[in-house]
Amino acid sequence: MTETVVSLPRALRGELKEPLGPIFTDAERLLETAETPIVAVGDVVTYHLESAGVTPDVALVDGITKRERVAPEVREAVSDDARHVTVENPAGVLTDDLLTALVAAIEAADPTVLVVEGEEDLAALPAVLAVPTGASVVYGQPDEGMVLARVSPELQAEVADLLARMDGETERLFSLVGYADCR
């Protein structure tokens, strides 16, 4: 069984509703301003990027959107050309399994799909810390569109502050994703 590194306390849930960047409803417009590498968090986000002709460098999918199974065309759009790695990550937590696989996928030369058994919703946060400055993390904002988080030192500090307030081993999380906590 995989080990939980941090978990989301109820008090922080409201703060996660604020997007980490602009919201797009058109994948092609989003891609005009996105920089590589691109990390896509979520089945529907991955579907829209793939439909626009771009295979994300890293995609995290769990087969669920808004607590329902994704449609077959969404599931089938996930690139077969990418390497697929299965990880465990229950809802409301970040596990060592997911964090380690995320870093390995970012460092990999070829596109990687992390197939999450559980939930991938929180993965955008450690992705912001794990990718190089200038990279793009794209995730879904329910009923609104896709958020494009362009990674900057300022955004990383904001995300690190949020993660530091989670329950568990935040220093271990920072170490696993290679983030030097500058606070």
Side-chain angles (χ1 to χ4, degrees):
M1 182 153 155
T2 191
E3 192 177 321
T4 296
V5 178
V6 296
S7 61
L8 178 65
R10 186 172 297 282
L12 282 182
R13 289 184 183 175
E15 289 187 50
L16 294 182
K17 290 182 173 37
E18 281 299 312
L20 297 175
I23 298 174
F24 291 82
T25 55
D26 182 296
E28 290 176 8
R29 293 224 22 244
L30 179 149
L31 289 165
E32 287 172 5
T33 58
E35 298 292 331
T36 58
I38 296 174
V39 176
V41 179
D43 298 74
V44 175
V45 167
T46 301
Y47 167 78
H48 285 298
L49 296 179
E50 293 273 359
S51 296
V54 172
T55 297
D57 298 280
V58 180
L60 295 99
V61 298
D62 64 6
I64 306 288
T65 186
K66 295 196 280 187
R67 309 221 191 301
E68 301 285 329
R69 294 208 62 63
V70 296
E73 64 268 17
V74 171
R75 190 172 42 257
E76 291 162 10
V78 175
S79 179
D80 288 332
D81 297 336
R83 181 174 65 103
H84 285 63
V85 176
T86 301
V87 298
E88 284 184 46
N89 195 79
V93 306
L94 291 167
T95 62
D96 57 352
D97 196 19
L98 182 136
L99 296 167
T100 303
L102 175 63
V103 170
I106 291 166
E107 293 173 351
D110 296 320
T112 303
V113 175
L114 299 181
V115 180
V116 180
E117 291 180 353
E119 192 175 274
E120 89 298 79
D121 293 7
L122 292 176
L125 298 173
V128 166
L129 300 184
V131 297
T133 299
S136 300
V137 176
V138 184
Y139 66 93
Q141 187 81 357
D143 300 319
E144 291 188 50
M146 297 171 285
V147 176
L148 172 57
R150 287 185 208 92
V151 178
S152 65
E154 295 79 17
L155 180 61
Q156 287 178 321
E158 178 184 330
V159 167
D161 178 66
L162 187 64
L163 286 167
R165 291 183 283 140
M166 289 194 179
D167 295 333
E169 304 173 71
T170 55
E171 292 304 320
R172 182 167 167 231
L173 181 149
F174 294 152
S175 176
L176 285 168
V177 299
Y179 179 73
D181 186 10
C182 305
R183 287 172 293 131

